[in-house]
Amino acid sequence: MPAYAVIGAQWGDEGKGKIIDFLAENAAVIARYSGGNNAGHTVINDAGTFKLHLVPSGICWPHTMNVIGNGVVVDPDVLLKEINENELDPQHLAVSDRAHLIMPYHIVLDQLEEERRGNAAIGTTGRGVGPAYVDKVARLGLRVGELLDPENLALRLPEIVAFKNEIITKIYGGDPVDLDSVFALTNRWATELAAYIRPVENIVADALESDGNVIIEGAQGSLLDLDHGTYPYVTSSNPTVGGTLTGLGMGPGSYGGVAGVYKAYCTRVGAGPFPTEMLGEEGDRIREQAGEYGTTTGRPRRIGWFDGVAGRYSARVNGFDAMIITRLDTLDGWDEINICVAYEIDGVRTEQFPVDAVMLDRAEPIYETISGWTESTRAITEYSQLNAGARSYIKRLEEIVGVPAKIISTGPRREETLVLQDFLAH
Ligand code: GDP
Ligand code: IMO
Ligand code: MG
């Protein structure tokens, strides 16, 4: 059966976790391919509320196999906590032997690097994700599978830790990490994780060759992508669709569909340009009413109107064939709703998303204002029940982004979902 990707289309936190939990009923395998525990995916269903950072959002369905692909960077402490809290066994969860490890010195370096950036800080989640990817590219990384070979680890680790400690102490004036404790930690991780460590590309390939759908779970968002996002205010991986192939080890012919998850407005955590940001009371109203605080760090999320320029760009760099719109209910009760249809940059109107973060920072949004609606859309599951204002808002977003909406989310709970077209139908 085919693979279906569900990818963040904005700056993260679009509600991917909720959508994956909804779709996973009809999937055999749910796979994460990028990022690490910088992600925070909220799943709410009859079994409770789950805030997942590393394990895929399919875990609430007993029939699913959930896999963490080689493109993910893994902090084993976080993974073990999620395994224990959710009582996950190796029949239900596997982690790639090729995934890179987030080591204690990565977390130290993430924090020291941010301090050093001062006013230019990225506002990272401080989980060591960026430094772990840097080591992967620098060929200094340690992989999950290496935990199972302590003799080799005992050879590699002293060299790497010595080098990292030089950077920590000599460049940043920080405290070195202790080699013996790091080695002891890797031994414990090896014992506790061994049963979950697998070549997950085989699990994905087997599902694709048999009759189960594979759902590929995005983390972060396309505008945080290392290549396509608002560089340098980005994460250190490729959340866009290209990252799914390298991050899982599968071919492009496997795809049945690629959906972009768009919030009905925009949010961003951390620093970086955000043209439609609502800085005054309007933003506060949405943040407080909707509880827009980060799932991972608890930081207040910055709020903005729907950015059609960014949304169209995101659809293009991913080749989305479906839009999934979340949090429609959050816009209930607004007299008027703005949609950004173009930018004005240095007096010139453009519908192109600029490459340069400095230029994007100067972009003034050009809004189209549409009438809001007073009726509640919360928990609506039938299109016929949706009021005319909400319908025309969805239609306008489809036109601007250029992709049909297939699912509308009308609340955080699994069942608060309106299906317009079956996304999993090939
Ligand atoms: P993710 O990182 O993309 O999985 O998104 P997060 O879980 O970090 O943030 C999305 C937030 O919106 C969570 O608190 C969800 O419970 C909530 N949420 C998702 N969909 C909806 C929706 O349609 N309506 C409302 N009101 N909340 C939603
Ligand atoms: P989910 O999967 C929102 C942001 C951080 C920061 C930038 C770089 O829940 O959508 P990093 O720690 O990755 O080096 O930080 O990226 N960021 C996210 N923002 N949702 C996320 O994940 C994010 N993961 C990283 O806030 O601006
Ligand atoms: Mg999140």
Side-chain angles (χ1 to χ4, degrees):
M1 292 285 274
Y4 296 90
V6 177
I7 289 176
Q10 297 158 325
W11 283 278
D13 302 328
E14 297 90 348
K16 299 175 291 293
K18 180 237 150 125
I19 296 298
I20 300 282
D21 173 59
F22 172 78
L23 292 172
E25 180 174 12
N26 296 311
V29 172
I30 319 296
R32 276 275 308 264
Y33 61 93
S34 76
N37 58 302
N38 47 353
H41 296 179
T42 313
V43 166
I44 308 178
N45 52 42
D46 287 346
T49 295
F50 305 82
K51 293 188 184 295
L52 307 173
H53 302 288
L54 215 39
V55 302
S57 302
I59 57 158
C60 294
W61 293 98
H63 69 273
T64 59
M65 181 63 184
N66 294 271
V67 303
I68 298 173
N70 59 279
V72 176
V73 285
V74 177
D75 180 335
D77 278 336
V78 175
L79 180 55
L80 286 163
K81 187 163 179 273
E82 294 193 345
I83 287 174
N84 294 331
E85 278 174 5
N86 299 295
E87 297 175 7
L88 300 173
D89 60 40
Q91 271 69 51
H92 207 29
L93 178 78
V95 56
S96 169
D97 43 11
R98 293 168 191 270
H100 278 248
L101 291 166
I102 297 181
M103 300 293 289
Y105 45 81
H106 292 136
I107 300 170
V108 171
L109 281 166
D110 197 352
Q111 285 153 7
L112 291 171
E113 286 168 9
E114 276 289 85
E115 276 166 33
R116 190 180 164 105
R117 287 185 193 112
N119 287 339
I122 294 166
T124 71
T125 57
R127 302 300 194 260
V129 170
Y133 279 117
V134 167
D135 276 3
K136 173 176 176 175
V137 175
R139 292 161 292 185
L140 265 181
L142 294 165
R143 302 201 285 182
V144 169
E146 287 179 80
L147 292 174
L148 305 179
D149 185 357
E151 278 174 28
N152 184 46
L153 211 52
L155 289 176
R156 287 195 70 205
L157 207 50
E159 190 62 20
I160 295 173
V161 170
F163 178 58
K164 292 290 155 183
N165 275 341
E166 282 203 52
I167 297 173
I168 292 172
T169 57
K170 294 186 182 164
I171 294 185
Y172 296 107
D175 297 327
V177 299
D178 177 52
L179 173 62
D180 291 340
S181 340
V182 173
F183 192 57
L185 195 60
T186 56
N187 282 333
R188 179 171 64 76
W189 288 343
T191 312
E192 295 178 21
L193 271 186
Y196 297 87
I197 302 174
R198 308 253 303 267
V200 305
E201 61 277 13
N202 293 338
I203 301 174
V204 172
D206 288 348
L208 292 172
E209 281 165 19
S210 59
D211 57 1
N213 289 319
V214 174
I215 295 185
I216 298 181
E217 174 170 352
Q220 289 73 57
S222 300
L223 304 176
L224 290 171
D225 184 278
L226 185 55
D227 287 80
H228 300 291
T230 54
Y231 192 87
Y233 296 98
V234 292
T235 192
S236 299
S237 64
N238 289 115
T240 48
V241 71
T244 67
L245 302 182
T246 47
L248 281 165
M250 54 179 262
S254 315
Y255 272 114
V258 180
V261 186
Y262 292 79
K263 240 178 225 187
Y265 49 96
C266 281
T267 60
R268 176 165 202 164
V269 204
F274 188 10
T276 63
E277 185 165 14
M278 296 149 87
L279 288 166
E281 279 173 17
E282 286 183 327
D284 294 344
R285 174 174 160 192
I286 291 189
R287 185 179 308 103
E288 295 316 317
Q289 179 209 326
E292 286 284 12
Y293 290 87
T295 309
T296 299
T297 57
R299 291 179 290 178
R301 292 178 180 148
R302 300 159 67 194
I303 313 284
W305 293 113
F306 190 90
D307 186 334
V309 179
R312 196 166 43 238
Y313 167 78
S314 184
R316 177 156 289 181
V317 297
N318 285 289
F320 292 144
D321 48 33
M323 227 184 150
I324 297 176
I325 301 172
T326 62
R327 280 192 170 271
L328 182 69
D329 55 296
T330 300
L331 293 182
D332 293 350
W334 285 77
D335 294 337
E336 290 182 330
I337 298 174
N338 289 326
I339 308 174
C340 171
V341 291
Y343 298 148
E344 188 177 307
I345 305 177
D346 303 332
V348 180
R349 180 187 164 110
T350 179
E351 292 175 8
Q352 296 291 317
F353 192 66
V355 61
D356 185 5
V358 178
M359 194 183 268
L360 185 61
D361 211 27
R362 293 204 303 276
E364 291 294 330
I366 298 174
Y367 288 121
E368 180 178 300
T369 301
I370 69 157
S371 307
W373 56 90
T374 49
E375 301 89 337
S376 169
T377 61
R378 180 71 190 255
I380 284 184
T381 57
E382 297 293 332
Y383 189 69
S384 58
Q385 307 284 304
L386 212 55
N387 70 75
R391 284 188 195 186
S392 45
Y393 186 60
I394 293 167
K395 188 159 167 290
R396 195 66 193 114
L397 296 190
E398 287 180 304
E399 286 166 0
I400 289 168
V401 172
V403 175
K406 295 198 175 170
I407 299 175
I408 310 293
S409 176
T410 55
R413 296 183 59 85
R414 180 190 286 167
E415 65 277 10
E416 293 172 323
T417 310
L418 192 170
V419 175
L420 297 171
Q421 274 183 60
D422 188 0
F423 171 58
L424 300 186
H426 192 31

